[in-house]
Amino acid sequence: MAEILSSVVDAIGGTPLVRLDRLTAQAGVDGAILAKLEYLNPGFSKKDRAALGIIEEAEKSGAIKPGQTVVELTSGNMGTGLAIVCAVRGYPFVAVMSKGNSEERARMMTALGAEVILVDQLPGSVPGQVSGGDLALVEQAARAVTAERGAYRADQFHRDGNWLAHYHGTGPEIWDASHGAVDAFVDFIGSGGTYAGVARALKERNPLIKCFIVEPEGAAAAAGETITQPEHPIQGGGYAMPDLAFLTDAPVDGYLQVSGDEARETTRLLAHAEGIFAGFSSGANVAAALRLLRGDQAGKMIAVVICDSGLKYLSTDLWS
């Protein structure tokens, strides 16, 4: 039954799970892909869950004081989620982001009341392609701002509220909506929070479910591959960081690499075939799922996350 919510924060989570039967038919594969539509969260991305989880964790532990400024490094999605949660909970928010990310993200965070600090990329870096080196510069700036303002650092790469939001929310929601029929799960990693939370939740319910990490070709650090192309267009992840905290002891059945072109074309196919207007990383997830259905997961049911909205990439070549 519909109910009136006390704030937009209460609308985070509970997103639909949708079969991509038209897409799989066009691709000519045997099996099914279930897409968790996280772009229907209030901030148009899965990071709304992590933002709420981190702030609630800080409030419960007393790590954040009433009215204290919150600072976070972001590619835009986490910052948008934090801007929403902080606006409702009464915390000033400062987002620190690389200039390599799409400009829509900075505009959206500003509109939501955040202060946005943009950090230059490394010399020779390409706008729209944020490398691990670029992210390191953003991290330096975020630390400096946190110290200067006596702020609370949301630290999405280490705060347990990130992965726990998916462990308690996204994963169980996929299981319940599919009635436990999922055979595999794939996820393009940024902080690793979504992958770790969902994989743990699904494996606890059925250890036979296969869970795969997705990374960009040439930047597959988690898979132990040599980094040959740290710059790529799949924004929001693939930072070639080999020691992500949330992946420690997380169950992993395999690793898949997707090229920028493959992610781009699959994102467009997702829009044309299914009417799902998503971003690069969503295309990477679906491309990885299609590859599994062409291989040893043929005939199986694979769950993916639609990470964010295509509206955040109108200034990129995704929709040109």
Side-chain angles (χ1 to χ4, degrees):
M1 182 178 295
E3 60 178 325
I4 297 174
L5 304 178
S6 62
S7 77
V8 72
V9 168
D10 295 327
I12 294 173
T15 56
L17 190 67
V18 175
R19 289 180 65 104
L20 304 184
D21 290 343
R22 285 146 292 276
L23 184 145
T24 53
Q26 286 193 31
V29 298
D30 178 24
I33 299 175
L34 304 182
K36 185 69 166 156
L37 303 188
E38 289 296 285
Y39 77 129
L40 296 181
N41 279 305
F44 310 137
S45 92
K46 66 179 185 177
K47 291 291 190 176
D48 288 7
R49 294 182 189 258
L52 179 58
I54 287 171
I55 294 301
E56 286 188 337
E57 177 189 46
E59 290 175 337
K60 289 176 184 177
S61 68
I64 190 171
K65 301 177 179 64
Q68 186 177 9
T69 296
V70 174
V71 172
E72 181 55 337
L73 161 159
T74 180
S75 65
N77 284 335
M78 186 66 174
T80 299
L82 283 168
I84 291 170
V85 174
C86 288
V88 171
R89 297 291 177 89
Y91 305 108
F93 174 59
V94 180
V96 188
M97 187 172 77
S98 171
K99 289 183 179 178
N101 289 298
S102 60
E103 62 186 51
E104 293 91 338
R105 298 170 181 235
R107 291 182 179 183
M108 185 173 180
M109 288 186 287
T110 301
L112 289 166
E115 177 185 346
V116 180
I117 297 174
L118 297 177
V119 180
D120 289 329
Q121 292 181 270
L122 291 169
S125 292
V126 180
Q129 300 184 14
V130 179
S131 68
D134 292 327
L135 199 68
L137 295 179
V138 180
E139 171 65 24
Q140 291 176 14
R143 288 182 180 180
V145 174
T146 301
E148 290 168 4
R149 307 196 186 186
Y152 175 78
R153 176 68 190 276
D155 195 4
Q156 61 178 301
F157 284 83
H158 296 94
R159 302 287 187 190
D160 286 334
N162 180 345
W163 76 268
L164 285 171
H166 299 288
Y167 174 76
H168 292 301
T170 317
E173 288 172 21
I174 291 172
W175 175 266
D176 291 344
S178 68
H179 302 289
V182 172
D183 296 299
F185 170 67
V186 302
D187 193 53
F188 181 79
I189 58 169
S191 68
T194 306
Y195 176 84
V198 174
R200 283 191 169 102
L202 293 178
K203 287 279 194 179
E204 285 182 5
R205 288 160 173 80
N206 180 2
L208 297 179
I209 294 174
K210 302 294 186 182
C211 296
F212 300 86
I213 284 175
V214 183
E215 297 178 278
E217 284 187 358
E225 301 287 341
T226 300
I227 306 303
T228 59
Q229 189 179 350
E231 299 86 9
H232 56 84
I234 311 175
Q235 295 185 32
Y239 299 124
M241 299 168 66
D243 54 353
L244 291 170
F246 298 141
L247 298 186
T248 302
D249 298 327
V252 182
D253 293 294
Y255 299 87
L256 299 165
Q257 286 87 53
V258 175
S259 71
D261 287 342
E262 190 178 3
R264 184 184 295 107
E265 292 308 312
T266 309
T267 305
R268 292 172 179 173
L269 177 61
L270 190 59
H272 297 161
E274 299 285 356
I276 295 175
F277 192 51
F280 279 105
S281 56
S282 303
N285 282 338
V286 175
L290 288 171
R291 189 178 303 170
L292 288 175
L293 291 178
R294 293 187 180 104
D296 61 7
Q297 296 296 308
K300 301 295 182 65
M301 183 172 287
I302 302 176
V304 303
V305 171
I306 303 302
C307 309
D308 66 359
S309 169
L311 291 171
K312 299 186 177 186
Y313 303 89
L314 292 177
S315 66
T316 73
D317 64 354
L318 181 57
W319 305 115
S320 61

